[in-house]
Amino acid sequence: MFHAYHENEDTLGLWGEDFYISGIYPPYLDYIDSQVVNAVVEARQKYVPVKLRFGEGQAPGYARDSRDPQVIDEAVTVMQAVNYDGNAVVTLVNYANHPEVLWSENTFITSDYPGVIYEYIQSHVGGTVVFISGSLGGLLTPQVSEHTFAQCELFGSDIAQIALDSLQGAPAHSDLPFNLNRERVKIDITNPLFHLFALINIFEVDYQWFSDQDFKIETDVQYFQFGDVAGISTAPGEAFSEVSFDVKSHMTTQYKFFFCLANNELGYLIPPEAYHFPENPFDPGDNYEETNSPGQYAVPTIVAALNSMMGYASPSPTPTPTPTKTPTPTKTPTPTPTMTPTPRPMILVAGYSGSYLSPENGGSFSLLAITNNGTGGGVMGINVLENSMPTGMSMIPIGPDNIAFRLEGQVAWEGTPHSLLMSLIPFDRGWRTGNTWPYLTVD
């Protein structure tokens, strides 16, 4: 299993120098690959037989939920491997909280409070320390008075001490049966921003476009179990604590670990009842997490896979038998038809995916737009304006269901070269127009 606890360089592509430029730096990914190989080789060389100890403490008041409803998994769950002399070889800490005590003002490369946890536990019991993020979505963030290194030191030391205290008197198990279950799942990606990023190769992943309406991505979900003592469920993203509590309620072991950001980072994993994609993803209000989420189908897919691996199935209610009797004939009233209003055509996100303009001759440019057709928007086309004046150009649909539109345009300068200020107006079959998307600046 691979895990990154959310304090690392951009490996997704979302944080490039421009909105439409991938932030992935291939030499860095190559470096990660080589370091992983080196770590595996080193670990194999240092192999020793161990016994396992488990513990769990609580950290009330250390995390705050920045989104209603306030649901926080405060568990600090610990697994420690000790050699046959009783000395710690590895201590693993599973805790749900974004590693962001130092906040965005920090310009130093740090591991935030997990780095303090490493140093604190190593100084007290020795061995290697591993930190695994729990259900940090939601969004769980450290409850601190200030974003300083001193506060980070206090925060990490407190969590580390809670972890060590939970191991006091814990028995060491040497003969636990171990099972690993793995299931490949296909998750529908309904977030229109993710559609756009996949189309313009911001995400360098193997998306599959099916003919129904959505992107899907295939990923891993895993469940580990150590006898009846401990179980580990994994999720390929930042799950909300509601998901953690749901999954743990179906685990039958004494100690229940929930590893997030495991084998993938699909974004925030939001329970479907809490998922509401904002009308304007660039001004999401209370629904920021939806703009960085695969969509409303991810959690049911992941939870179903975990439940299957744990041998849990939702019980079907037994129907209550009703006595048989002859119905009295009645006249069925004619239902009054209800008219469901058709959503107005809308552009959800748009931008230019490339331009090849020279000061001398002009050149070509590419525009992309994602519409609300996936939710019944009915966009037939998109008119293109320059400086609020019609250009005679229209974007054409690509892919199924007219969700995405593209324009490959040409320009020849008349006079001084300048930036192109393009705006987009969608229309439907009835020629109703929707929102204007201003402005796309093409240099």
Side-chain angles (χ1 to χ4, degrees):
M1 188 203 78
F2 288 86
H3 169 79
Y5 65 78
H6 208 337
E7 187 66 13
N8 51 281
E9 180 58 67
D10 184 9
T11 57
L12 301 176
L14 284 176
W15 295 276
E17 61 184 80
D18 194 295
F19 186 79
Y20 302 101
I21 298 176
S22 174
I24 292 176
Y25 183 55
Y28 177 70
L29 297 187
D30 293 340
Y31 171 75
I32 291 177
D33 290 343
S34 65
Q35 290 296 92
V36 168
V37 172
N38 293 339
V40 171
V41 171
E42 181 182 356
R44 184 65 185 87
Q45 292 171 345
K46 294 181 177 179
Y47 168 83
V48 293
V50 296
K51 300 179 181 181
L52 296 179
R53 307 168 67 214
F54 299 92
E56 181 174 296
Q58 296 292 316
Y62 284 86
R64 66 179 180 87
D65 194 342
S66 61
R67 169 172 169 154
D68 290 328
Q70 301 291 299
V71 181
I72 303 174
D73 188 346
E74 297 176 326
V76 180
T77 316
V78 187
M79 175 168 56
Q80 186 178 73
V82 297
N83 61 25
Y84 277 71
D85 293 327
N87 298 318
V89 177
V90 177
T91 304
L92 182 149
V93 178
N94 181 209
Y95 173 59
N97 209 336
H98 272 78
E100 55 187 22
V101 171
L102 296 175
W103 212 240
S104 57
E105 292 83 3
N106 173 50
T107 57
F108 293 95
I109 297 175
T110 81
S111 52
D112 210 270
Y113 74 80
V116 180
I117 292 176
Y118 300 153
E119 294 174 357
Y120 188 97
I121 293 178
Q122 286 172 340
S123 68
H124 282 70
V125 300
T128 299
V129 182
V130 177
F131 179 86
I132 305 279
S133 293
S135 53
L136 71 172
L139 184 153
L140 299 192
T141 189
Q143 180 71 55
V144 293
S145 57
E146 55 186 7
H147 299 290
T148 63
F149 280 92
Q151 192 73 48
C152 186
E153 192 76 24
L154 288 171
F155 190 97
S157 298
D158 285 353
I159 300 300
Q161 189 59 56
I162 292 170
L164 291 176
D165 288 346
S166 74
L167 292 171
Q168 295 297 317
H173 303 273
S174 60
D175 55 354
L176 290 176
F178 173 72
N179 291 301
L180 166 60
N181 295 281
R182 170 181 176 265
E183 187 168 324
R184 296 288 286 176
V185 296
K186 289 180 179 177
I187 294 178
D188 291 278
I189 308 296
T190 60
N191 183 342
L193 291 174
F194 283 15
H195 287 197
L196 177 62
F197 296 151
L199 283 170
I200 62 177
N201 295 319
I202 294 296
F203 290 155
E204 297 183 6
V205 294
D206 183 21
Y207 276 86
Q208 303 171 31
W209 193 320
F210 285 66
S211 60
D212 48 8
Q213 64 175 10
D214 289 322
F215 286 103
K216 298 177 187 286
I217 189 169
E218 192 171 29
T219 191
D220 273 352
V221 180
Q222 294 174 318
Y223 179 68
F224 307 76
Q225 188 162 328
F226 300 86
D228 59 357
V229 178
I232 301 172
S233 296
T234 73
E238 300 169 58
F240 279 31
S241 283
E242 292 92 324
V243 182
S244 173
F245 286 127
D246 182 21
V247 171
K248 288 181 178 181
S249 72
H250 301 151
M251 297 171 70
T252 58
T253 54
Q254 180 181 358
Y255 296 99
K256 304 171 182 182
F257 295 81
F258 190 58
F259 290 179
C260 285
L261 295 156
N263 289 333
N264 219 325
E265 161 60 312
L266 299 184
Y268 292 106
L269 304 176
I270 306 173
E273 64 274 11
Y275 184 91
H276 305 285
F277 195 84
E279 183 172 320
N280 182 355
F282 295 103
D283 185 18
D286 295 332
N287 297 98
Y288 159 77
E289 289 80 14
E290 280 82 348
T291 65
N292 287 280
S293 168
Q296 67 271 39
Y297 302 119
V299 166
T301 303
I302 292 165
V303 171
L306 288 170
N307 287 344
S308 174
M309 288 185 284
M310 290 187 283
Y312 173 85
S314 300
S316 302
T318 303
T320 303
T322 55
T324 303
K325 70 175 186 176
T326 304
T328 303
T330 58
K331 183 178 179 181
T332 303
T334 302
T336 303
T338 57
M339 300 296 292
T340 301
T342 302
R344 294 193 71 83
M346 179 178 293
I347 296 173
L348 299 177
V349 63
Y352 76 93
S353 59
S355 62
Y356 307 93
L357 303 179
S358 71
E360 297 80 19
N361 305 316
S364 63
F365 62 91
S366 303
L367 302 180
L368 281 173
I370 300 295
T371 71
N372 64 338
N373 279 0
T375 55
V379 176
M380 284 298 296
I382 299 175
N383 288 326
V384 181
L385 287 71
E386 181 184 355
N387 295 324
S388 301
M389 298 297 293
T391 63
M393 295 185 292
S394 294
M395 303 184 74
I396 59 173
I398 55 175
D401 296 330
N402 292 9
I403 293 175
F405 285 74
R406 172 178 289 158
L407 171 67
E408 302 290 340
Q410 299 287 328
V411 62
W413 303 123
E414 295 180 4
T416 305
H418 57 278
S419 295
L420 302 177
L421 296 179
M422 318 295 287
S423 54
L424 311 176
I425 301 178
F427 59 88
D428 62 12
R429 280 190 170 86
W431 296 100
R432 291 188 311 163
T433 57
N435 63 320
T436 299
W437 190 273
Y439 269 113
L440 301 178
T441 303
V442 183
D443 296 314

